[in-house]
Amino acid sequence: MMNIIAQLNILKAMELKPNFSELAREYGMDRRTVKKYFEGYEGKPKTKNKTSKLDKYFDEIKAKLAIKGTTVKAVYEFFV
C-alpha cells in the first residue's frame, strides 16, 4: 500500500496525471481506489472517539468498587 502512495506522491510532485487503470492493474486494486488515494484519502481512522454507555454511571461504579470485598460481577448485578 505504501508503494502506491509513494508513487502517487511522486507523480503529484511532478504535476503529472497518472494512468489510474494501469496503476490499478500493477498493484491489483480498483482504479477508483487508486484515484481516491491520489486525491488525498488516508484511510479509515484506527480508533473512534466514542463515549461509553457507562460513562454517566462512572462515579457510582467507582464508589461501588471502592467498597472492600466487592467484585466487578457484584457491581454488574447491582446495576442489572
Side-chain angles (χ1 to χ4, degrees), residues 50-57:
K50 203 168 126 177
T51 60
S52 170
K53 292 180 181 181
L54 300 175
D55 282 348
K56 56 186 170 185
Y57 304 109

Side-chain angles (χ1 to χ4, degrees), residues 5-17:
I5 294 172
Q7 189 170 356
L8 290 172
N9 286 336
I10 291 169
L11 291 170
K12 194 179 285 190
M14 293 171 46
E15 296 181 4
L16 296 173
K17 183 179 178 193

Side-chain angles (χ1 to χ4, degrees), residues 30-52:
D30 190 73
R31 66 178 177 75
R32 293 172 292 226
T33 305
V34 175
K35 183 177 181 185
K36 183 169 42 170
Y37 279 103
F38 179 73
E39 293 173 347
Y41 180 72
E42 295 179 3
K44 292 182 181 178
K46 299 285 182 199
T47 60
K48 294 181 181 180
N49 295 330
K50 203 168 126 177
T51 60
S52 170

